[in-house]
Amino acid sequence: MQYPSAWLQGASLGESIAGRLRLQIIGGEIEPGEILSENRIAEGFGASRSPVREAFRTLAGEGLIRLERMGAVVVGLELDAVKELYDVRYLIESFAQQRLASRDNAALIARLEQQIDGMKLAARYGDCVEFAHQDFSFHERIVEEAQHTRIRHLWTSIRSIVMTVILLTTEKEFERGESRMIEVAEKHRMVIEGLKSGSEEKIREVVRAYFDDSDATLGRSLY
Amino acid sequence: MQYPSAWLQGASLGESIAGRLRLQIIGGEIEPGEILSENRIAEGFGASRSPVREAFRTLAGEGLIRLERMGAVVVGLELDAVKELYDVRYLIESFAQQRLASRDNAALIARLEQQIDGMKLAARYGDCVEFAHQDFSFHERIVEEAQHTRIRHLWTSIRSIVMTVILLTTEKEFERGESRMIEVAEKHRMVIEGLKSGSEEKIREVVRAYFDDSDATLGRSLY
DNA sequence: AACCTGTAAGTTGTATACAGGTATACCGGT
DNA sequence: ACCGGTATACCTGTATACAACTTACAGGTT
């Protein structure tokens, strides 16, 4: 398993190492409880400690590892942890949408619908990576549009993990066939309905429903 | 302005530098827009670039500075940004409390009440730092108790900032006299009421009220 | 047998060195 | 006066070096 190489374009060595470790940790190649040392990892990548150290700090910031006196212990991302992650996504997105509810969202909605169509197109062509990218971007756009610096910050702190999880689960869901993926794409319209309604209550409900459904999907695709 | 030295006990040089910079940034000594270079800061602290680099990453993770190709630009924490911070605190705490609502919280509540009394005691003795510490710990305990790894992680990402803001605002509020501080301490009982009720609706309402009131306080104490 | 101690290997935190890139200021040409 | 090119100083990313600390273990002591 590997990131689309485009994602690592222009990244520093440190970011690149963080990316690969992230994938190995989330993918389960590196197991929770394992202890990573800067030296060994550096040697493994044929790099020096500096970029590895930077990568460790990044991953610790994402909660994937925990820095201790002696070595970094892998926390990992079990099914329960992914559900927790989705709790946070729910909090962030429902907040963002409630913030958007009171303005004119015509342009945003048009853009989001375009991305749903992008997903469907990707589904028809069996392009799993592109589907995941559109899916991810859909949600990121909503957060971005809310123009709330702190919320955006919370988002960036889980951004990479969410991206990775979406990539992994999309790969698995693709195995269930094109019609299933069309269904997944269409599910996003629900969210748009919430936006259109402008009702705080409705938004909470719709976003909750969206992530509840995602939770169910998770059960199938992870482990 | 300075941290209680106890807070920096056992901290590495990097953490300590992060702490001092954080205080300078939030306190406004270093102004938003200013550009920090690793070299200059290192020289200023009589240290090498390594710990400064680490400090920069920490502060960037907290959103206090933004790392760019050339230098780190100070984002700062204006009044609006603090209000955004409180939005996030609201999200985190209301979530945490809703999670707690369904269990038996007798022990927790006893502990929280003890901390309220601690605040009142600090108020009577004019011990501003202790008051801030108790106040901070009160909220941290709630988050901690929810036992939700991801939420706890969001909390740690703003923890230092919240601590600093509470410290600064408490200092300012202390000038308004002891009775005002007793009032602030008592305000926390409201939150406990929410916990006791166990009603999702009531909790949202109470926590919302708490932070709305805090927002008002902010207006007085910052800038 | 239990415990204490000294040593050796490994780890992090910090300092320093080097390479590649970027902005700035200055200088010559038009 | 203005524009373009170059030299220069500075900045970040990475590599390497060193010191202090932690851990594990072996061997001697009680």
Side-chain angles (χ1 to χ4, degrees):
Chain A
M1 180 60 212
Q2 212 179 303
Y3 278 126
S5 59
W7 292 10
L8 296 173
Q9 201 68 326
S12 74
L13 186 51
E15 292 167 19
S16 150
I17 291 178
R20 295 190 212 206
L21 285 178
R22 184 184 301 118
L23 209 48
Q24 289 182 347
I25 292 175
I26 297 180
E29 286 175 62
I30 299 180
E31 290 193 5
E34 201 167 327
I35 290 180
L36 305 174
S37 110
E38 296 177 358
N39 278 317
R40 280 206 321 279
I41 300 295
E43 197 176 356
F45 281 102
S48 77
R49 273 179 58 211
S50 308
V52 174
R53 200 176 167 75
E54 186 183 328
F56 275 23
R57 289 195 62 83
T58 301
L59 296 177
E62 295 172 359
L64 256 23
I65 65 179
R66 205 174 48 234
L67 266 31
E68 302 198 339
R69 325 272 173 108
M70 213 78 172
V73 339
V74 176
V75 174
L77 206 64
E78 306 286 356
L79 180 56
D80 285 351
V82 177
K83 291 194 172 187
E84 287 192 353
L85 183 68
Y86 276 47
D87 283 342
V88 171
R89 287 188 63 189
Y90 163 73
L91 280 182
I92 292 179
E93 282 196 30
S94 64
F95 179 88
Q97 285 205 46
Q98 281 173 29
R99 205 144 192 277
L100 288 171
S102 54
R103 31 160 266 192
D104 171 29
N105 294 306
L108 171 60
I109 289 175
R111 180 67 199 240
L112 293 177
E113 280 171 341
Q114 181 187 341
Q115 274 168 324
I116 293 178
D117 287 340
M119 287 184 230
K120 287 160 74 175
L121 196 66
R124 271 194 285 279
Y125 281 89
D127 187 342
C128 149
V129 172
E130 173 63 13
F131 189 101
H133 174 69
Q134 294 286 348
D135 188 348
F136 176 79
S137 300
F138 179 96
H139 296 281
E140 178 158 69
R141 179 155 302 270
I142 289 174
V143 176
E144 215 58 59
E145 209 79 14
Q147 294 188 298
H148 189 291
T149 311
R150 268 294 141 196
I151 289 293
R152 185 158 43 205
H153 213 76
L154 294 192
W155 171 250
T156 47
S157 79
I158 60 169
R159 195 191 121 98
S160 299
I161 299 184
V162 171
M163 193 159 70
T164 308
V165 169
I166 288 183
L167 189 58
L168 289 170
T169 57
T170 302
E171 271 190 337
K172 265 285 197 293
E173 283 296 280
F174 250 66
E175 294 171 4
R176 303 182 70 213
E178 180 185 328
S179 69
R180 166 59 187 159
M181 295 321 290
I182 299 287
E183 193 183 309
V184 170
E186 284 297 336
K187 202 178 70 171
H188 289 79
R189 283 204 203 280
M190 210 164 70
V191 177
I192 293 184
E193 286 312 312
L195 251 183
K196 279 182 181 161
S197 80
S199 144
E200 188 170 324
E201 196 55 47
K202 165 94 173 172
I203 287 173
R204 252 207 303 276
E205 181 190 313
V206 156
V207 180
R208 165 54 64 205
Y210 178 89
F211 283 107
D212 277 352
D213 187 89
S214 295
D215 264 0
T217 302
L218 281 178
R220 273 197 307 277
S221 27
L222 256 49
Y223 306 73
Chain B
M1 181 62 212
Q2 211 180 306
Y3 278 127
S5 57
W7 292 9
L8 296 173
Q9 200 70 326
S12 73
L13 186 51
E15 292 166 21
S16 151
I17 290 178
R20 293 191 214 205
L21 285 178
R22 183 185 302 116
L23 210 48
Q24 290 182 346
I25 292 175
I26 297 181
E29 286 174 61
I30 299 180
E31 292 193 3
E34 202 167 324
I35 289 180
L36 274 42
S37 107
E38 295 177 358
N39 278 315
R40 279 205 322 278
I41 300 294
E43 197 175 358
F45 281 102
S48 77
R49 274 179 57 210
S50 307
V52 174
R53 200 176 165 76
E54 186 182 328
F56 274 22
R57 288 193 63 82
T58 300
L59 297 176
E62 295 171 358
L64 255 25
I65 65 178
R66 205 175 48 236
L67 267 31
E68 303 198 338
R69 328 225 188 133
M70 213 77 175
V73 340
V74 176
V75 173
L77 206 66
E78 307 285 358
L79 181 55
D80 285 351
V82 178
K83 293 196 172 187
E84 287 192 351
L85 183 68
Y86 277 45
D87 283 341
V88 170
R89 287 188 64 190
Y90 162 73
L91 279 182
I92 292 178
E93 283 197 30
S94 63
F95 180 88
Q97 285 205 47
Q98 281 174 27
R99 207 146 190 276
L100 288 171
S102 54
R103 34 160 264 193
D104 171 31
N105 294 306
L108 171 61
I109 287 175
R111 180 67 201 243
L112 293 177
E113 279 170 342
Q114 180 187 342
Q115 274 168 324
I116 291 178
D117 287 340
M119 288 184 228
K120 287 160 76 176
L121 196 67
R124 272 194 284 278
Y125 281 90
D127 187 342
C128 149
V129 171
E130 174 63 13
F131 189 101
H133 174 69
Q134 293 286 349
D135 187 347
F136 176 80
S137 300
F138 179 96
H139 296 281
E140 179 158 70
R141 180 156 302 273
I142 290 175
V143 176
E144 216 56 61
E145 210 80 14
Q147 294 188 299
H148 189 290
T149 311
R150 268 294 140 195
I151 288 292
R152 185 159 45 205
H153 213 79
L154 294 191
W155 171 252
T156 47
S157 79
I158 61 169
R159 194 191 121 99
S160 299
I161 300 185
V162 171
M163 191 159 72
T164 307
V165 169
I166 288 183
L167 188 60
L168 289 170
T169 57
T170 302
E171 270 190 337
K172 264 288 198 295
E173 282 296 282
F174 250 66
E175 293 171 6
R176 303 183 70 211
E178 181 185 325
S179 68
R180 165 60 186 158
M181 295 321 289
I182 300 285
E183 193 183 309
V184 171
E186 285 297 338
K187 202 177 68 171
H188 288 80
R189 282 202 205 284
M190 211 164 68
V191 176
I192 294 185
E193 287 312 313
L195 252 183
K196 279 181 182 162
S197 80
S199 141
E200 187 171 325
E201 196 55 46
K202 165 94 172 174
I203 287 174
R204 251 208 303 275
E205 182 189 312
V206 156
V207 180
R208 163 56 62 206
Y210 178 89
F211 283 108
D212 278 351
D213 188 89
S214 294
D215 265 0
T217 302
L218 281 178
R220 274 197 306 279
S221 26
L222 257 47
Y223 305 70

